[in-house]
Amino acid sequence: MWNLLLRKLKMGNLTEKGGNSLTQQKSSKLPSSFRQSLQARHLDCGSCNGCDWELTALGNSFYDHQHLGIDFVASPRHADVLMCTGPGSTQLLMAAHETYEAMAKPKWVVAVGDCAVDGGVFKGAYASENGIGNVLPVDVKIPGCPPKPEDIINALLEFMGKR
Amino acid sequence: MLGLREYLQNFHSCPSVEIVEWKKQEGTVDVSARDLPEILSYCLAMRPRPIWLTHVVNDERQLERGFCLYLVLHFPGLDFSLTLVAKGINNEFPTLSSIFPALNWSEREAQDLFGLQAVGHPDTRSLVLHPGWPQGFYPLRKDYKRGDEGKQFKRAPLVFPEMHGDGIFQVPVGPIHAGIIEPGHFRFYVIGEPVLHLEAQLFYTHKGIEKLVEGRSIDEGLHIIERVCGVCTLSHGLAYCEAVEKLAKVEVPRSVLLWRTILAELERVYNHIGDIGNMCAGVGFAVGNANGSQSKEKLQRLNLEFFGHRFLRGMVVPGGVKSISSSKDCQTLLNRLLEIALDFEEWLPLLLHHDGFRQRAVTTGVLKPEDAVEMGVTGPAARASGIANDWRELHAYLLYPELNVQSMVEEDGDVWSRLMVRVKETRESFRFLETLLNEGMEKSEGTNEALIPFSSHKLSPWQPAWGCVESPRGTDVVWLMVDEEAKIYRCRIRSASYANWPAVPLTVPGNIVPDFPLINKSFELCYSCCDR
Ligand code: SF4
């Protein structure tokens, strides 16, 4: 216990505060009740899992998405945005649709990574779409292979009008 | 080794077996598909027992060889790899799965993608292609041209065994899971809380990468192969480059070997530490998870700072590495790594001495050694079941022989053992990195040789070549054949996850459903490089 506390004191606070502000800075197309807090659901649509791991990284003590009002939820029913990674692999499309359908309105879709944006390197593969935009209505695109965690956070904050 | 060679030479004194090539470390032998079961049985009876590296089916009808089957076995101890080639297959071949269950998935995959029949295969269900694709869709045949089959795909019910009895329930889970993870469908057959049987249906992220790379240049191929798996990017890229270099008959200079070894170990530490933390997430143990992900982030930031990519993409190129760091960078990198290693030792006891965590992990999800051998399991999962099969120890490649790598083995095969294997390997990797970076500091001047353009080399066409690397999850194998224009003709990716997935369901019966996330995380397999 004491060791833990000591370690914590030595380490200080790792979380990067850059740019976080609770006040609205820019306009956003989101209704005002979503601008302070956004509940996201991750959906892997055939990614190489690089993007998935960067989404996971958002939860580590450096980025700590929760302090920005962004959280990942376990069910699409609780989600405001669907964060899709991967180009849209054919055998998963139905399930992806069902996930989207299960979300309550209003809902938004974020395409995370080059694959989700336009198919990336997997363009033209026989069991894949060229981006999740072919299947779901995409509102935000975050390019990169994979996009860095800070890119993902910035894009989400921008979407919320916080940046 | 003589035994094997003599056996093959005298095989029924029959002309169907022909030794094409027999070098110190690699041999290629043509056999007929009919004789394969007998030859494989003989090989498997040898001690130490050989391991499988890859199983490839290739459509070589254009070359008038029919469909060909390549089975690559490795004989540990001798560091000898044998490729058995069966040419001239028409539309069926006798199954090898009943002799060697490790080939079960690979043969079913050949049925799905090539439309060949593995005669006598114990499982008649499709694997890679889910029910619902149009009839006669065999995408890996050379005469297949991409049409709109994807549009025609209509999801049909998956086929699962039936189970009846009082109080038996089926619990379907997935393909989409809660949390940030990849998709796969699991069907638990439970009686009360304990699991009786588990069926896993994967391949939801199947995209058709092996077809996609066909006809591409070597560089384009590398770009795609690096994206087969996010977290084993470097291992896949390296295995691919090794195969390319074999085809070009190029020996890479020592400085390149050094940096490739450093990169491979960097990939191992960031993965292992992340996986150790992630196992804690499997039981909701937040302190362990937070520390693991924090250290992983620090390591990935080092990757970005020194090598330009958080997952080390783009660092390995055919014939070399993209860049070689200066002495000063080596020193800084080493100092930072040692800090992280110290920090690792500081937080690790939190989980190793945590009673609650121990209780969840010990005796959970046991993989029996005999199952691990039969199923061809590789990596930390195999070593946790007492099988010393670290490819860095078995095979002399990169600078590993000098580092004197020992397989880190645990005996119990449970979640705890898989954790401990990773802990020990992480410590070893930090030690290796120290040695390697010290060498890097001395030798970083005048290493332009690492950057010689590779494109001037001629690749031997229509020859099989494989590259093999011990990734954090086990042995990754890339098998490659190119045509006269040095365009990829066939590329088969057998990742560690592909080898290990079939064994995961065997470890679950007897455990309770809530233990599955923990068991799954202790294997820490990737779906993407399994599904491709
Ligand atoms: S964008 Fe890149 S990292 Fe993300 S899923 Fe695609 S290939 Fe992987």
Side-chain angles (χ1 to χ4, degrees):
Chain A
M1 183 65 206
W2 295 115
N3 284 348
L4 254 181
L5 271 178
L6 198 66
R7 198 171 115 77
K8 172 78 190 101
L9 282 175
K10 262 198 299 185
M11 200 154 42
N13 199 349
L14 296 174
T15 310
E16 287 157 0
K17 288 276 171 1
N20 172 35
S21 78
L22 291 174
T23 50
Q24 196 70 26
Q25 293 184 337
K26 292 223 186 81
S27 64
S28 157
K29 68 171 191 172
L30 283 182
S32 57
S33 49
F34 293 92
R35 291 184 203 159
Q36 292 299 341
S37 123
L38 207 55
Q39 308 295 305
R41 177 70 174 81
H42 167 243
L43 176 63
D44 179 324
C45 305
S47 94
C48 77
N49 104 20
C51 284
D52 304 17
W53 278 113
E54 293 301 46
L55 288 180
T56 310
L58 297 184
N60 70 35
S61 23
F62 289 85
Y63 305 105
D64 187 17
H65 53 64
Q66 282 170 329
H67 89 287
L68 300 166
I70 302 165
D71 205 0
F72 285 91
V73 291
S75 164
R77 302 242 186 253
H78 307 153
D80 310 320
V81 293
L82 194 60
M83 311 238 342
C84 301
T85 58
S89 53
T90 308
Q91 308 194 115
L92 197 81
L93 288 183
M94 283 289 287
H97 249 293
E98 287 161 3
T99 308
Y100 180 74
E101 290 305 323
M103 291 168 70
K105 285 181 192 155
K107 51 189 165 184
W108 298 273
V109 176
V110 182
V112 182
D114 288 347
C115 285
V117 171
D118 66 355
V121 296
F122 302 121
K123 253 188 229 103
Y126 64 77
S128 145
E129 296 291 323
N130 293 340
I132 201 63
N134 288 6
V135 210
L136 302 175
V138 174
D139 299 279
V140 183
K141 293 179 180 170
I142 313 181
C145 183
K148 297 194 192 83
E150 46 269 46
D151 300 343
I152 303 175
I153 291 214
N154 286 341
L156 288 177
L157 289 180
E158 205 169 291
F159 183 54
M160 295 160 81
K162 282 191 182 182
R163 170 159 292 178
Chain B
M1 207 60 245
L2 256 181
L4 179 63
R5 188 172 183 173
E6 270 164 9
Y7 165 76
L8 288 168
Q9 267 165 347
N10 301 327
F11 187 77
H12 296 326
S13 48
C14 163
S16 73
V17 171
E18 186 194 336
I19 296 181
V20 181
E21 192 177 32
W22 199 280
K23 291 190 294 203
K24 193 161 166 286
Q25 286 196 317
E26 275 186 44
T28 309
V29 177
D30 278 355
V31 300
S32 83
R34 199 178 17 137
D35 296 329
L36 256 181
E38 193 182 334
I39 296 175
L40 180 64
S41 308
Y42 182 86
C43 292
L44 290 179
M46 291 178 66
R47 292 292 170 268
R49 185 183 151 111
I51 56 172
W52 78 296
L53 292 185
T54 190
H55 173 275
V56 189
V57 172
N58 192 16
D59 178 358
E60 297 181 15
R61 287 176 298 172
Q62 284 170 348
L63 309 171
E64 301 189 341
R65 299 186 200 151
F67 289 96
C68 299
L69 196 157
Y70 297 81
L71 176 64
V72 188
L73 298 174
H74 181 83
F75 296 80
L78 304 157
D79 194 2
F80 180 81
S81 306
L82 177 68
T83 307
L84 294 169
V85 190
K87 292 183 184 150
I89 296 171
N90 275 326
N91 41 35
E92 55 176 48
F93 56 88
T95 182
L96 301 172
S97 306
S98 34
I99 305 167
F100 192 25
L103 302 176
N104 183 323
W105 277 24
S106 201
E107 291 189 340
R108 282 165 72 191
E109 182 170 333
Q111 304 198 92
D112 288 0
L113 302 180
F114 286 94
L116 303 179
Q117 210 204 337
V119 180
H121 196 289
D123 194 339
T124 50
R125 294 174 295 170
S126 64
L127 177 79
V128 177
L129 299 181
H130 294 181
W133 287 90
Q135 282 286 319
F137 171 60
Y138 302 125
L140 281 189
R141 290 191 172 198
K142 295 291 175 210
D143 45 15
Y144 165 75
K145 293 278 169 293
R146 185 168 190 255
D148 65 345
E149 287 84 355
K151 294 271 171 298
Q152 293 174 35
F153 172 73
K154 288 268 169 314
R155 186 175 64 178
L158 300 167
V159 189
F160 290 110
E162 292 201 15
M163 209 179 263
H164 300 284
D166 253 1
I168 294 184
F169 289 90
Q170 291 188 24
V171 186
V173 180
I176 306 213
H177 303 278
I180 308 177
I181 12 175
E182 297 175 88
H185 179 88
F186 299 99
R187 185 153 304 198
F188 297 90
Y189 297 76
V190 297
I191 182 153
E193 265 206 293
V195 180
L196 276 180
H197 180 69
L198 169 63
E199 288 277 319
Q201 170 68 58
L202 305 183
F203 297 94
Y204 282 93
T205 68
H206 178 69
K207 299 177 277 285
I209 298 181
E210 290 180 2
K211 185 72 181 183
L212 187 68
V213 294
E214 288 182 5
R216 308 275 179 136
S217 71
I218 292 296
D219 289 340
E220 289 168 341
L222 176 64
H223 197 69
I224 299 174
I225 301 290
E226 280 195 316
R227 283 158 182 79
V228 166
C229 175
V231 275
C232 295
T233 285
L234 193 105
S235 304
H236 282 281
L238 188 52
Y240 174 81
C241 288
E242 277 190 3
V244 172
E245 285 151 15
K246 270 192 198 167
L247 288 177
K249 303 201 175 54
V250 171
E251 295 263 324
V252 292
R254 186 183 164 92
S255 56
V256 169
L257 293 181
L258 172 71
W259 279 94
R260 285 181 174 182
T261 321
I262 292 175
L263 291 164
E265 290 310 305
L266 282 171
E267 181 170 83
R268 189 170 338 274
V269 286
Y270 94 73
N271 269 292
H272 273 4
I273 289 189
D275 295 347
I276 291 169
N278 220 13
M279 268 193 224
C280 303
V283 293
F285 179 26
V287 181
N289 184 28
N291 279 297
S293 56
Q294 189 172 302
S295 296
K296 180 178 179 185
E297 176 69 22
K298 286 185 191 160
L299 287 160
Q300 283 195 283
R301 288 182 172 202
L302 287 188
N303 292 348
L304 178 66
E305 188 180 336
F306 290 92
F307 306 102
H309 199 285
R310 286 166 56 92
F311 296 90
L312 299 170
R313 273 189 183 145
M315 270 313 287
V316 182
V317 290
V321 286
K322 196 176 86 196
S323 61
I324 284 183
S325 308
S326 67
S327 296
K328 195 159 142 274
D329 280 353
C330 288
Q331 184 67 59
T332 334
L333 177 57
L334 179 58
N335 292 345
R336 304 267 283 280
L337 281 172
L338 291 177
E339 264 169 42
I340 296 173
L342 269 182
D343 184 51
F344 173 65
E345 295 299 342
E346 231 172 80
W347 60 259
L348 189 66
L350 287 176
L351 54 257
L352 297 189
H353 299 157
H354 191 285
D355 287 346
F357 180 60
R358 249 192 97 91
Q359 276 176 11
R360 289 292 302 273
V362 175
T363 69
T364 305
V366 176
L367 175 65
K368 295 193 205 102
E370 56 273 24
D371 287 347
V373 170
E374 287 293 326
M375 303 301 284
V377 174
T378 165
R383 299 194 277 280
S385 297
I387 299 160
N389 75 343
D390 194 323
W391 185 244
R392 297 174 296 168
E393 184 189 358
L394 298 187
H395 177 62
Y397 78 112
L398 298 183
L399 296 189
Y400 290 122
E402 290 172 30
L403 292 170
N404 203 2
V405 183
Q406 305 277 313
S407 298
M408 294 291 135
V409 177
E410 290 280 323
E411 298 302 330
D412 297 336
D414 54 2
V415 170
W416 186 260
S417 303
R418 288 189 280 277
L419 171 78
M420 288 316 291
V421 166
R422 288 201 177 86
V423 168
K424 290 188 199 165
E425 288 184 0
T426 309
R427 288 181 179 143
E428 285 288 284
S429 289
F430 276 125
R431 199 167 62 79
F432 297 153
L433 279 166
E434 193 173 347
T435 319
L436 295 165
L437 284 167
N438 276 324
E439 180 177 338
M441 267 177 246
E442 290 158 20
K443 297 209 179 125
S444 70
E445 320 306 338
T447 42
N448 292 340
E449 55 184 341
L451 311 167
I452 301 171
F454 183 78
S455 44
S456 52
H457 292 282
K458 170 106 180 69
L459 305 187
S460 347
W462 316 121
Q463 290 289 320
W466 51 266
C468 199
V469 169
E470 185 71 19
S471 79
R473 286 159 184 74
T475 318
D476 278 340
V477 190
V478 173
W479 186 99
L480 190 67
M481 181 181 274
V482 298
D483 62 15
E484 291 106 348
E485 287 157 21
K487 297 276 193 292
I488 299 173
Y489 192 68
R490 171 94 168 98
C491 178
R492 165 91 163 114
I493 303 146
R494 193 226 70 172
S495 64
S497 299
Y498 187 82
N500 288 356
W501 262 117
V504 174
L506 299 181
T507 63
V508 180
N511 295 276
I512 56 175
V513 179
D515 274 337
F516 179 67
L518 176 63
I519 299 173
N520 199 4
K521 282 190 162 62
S522 74
F523 281 92
E524 192 50 44
L525 302 179
C526 167
Y527 299 62
S528 170
C529 58
C530 173
D531 302 355
R532 292 152 292 129

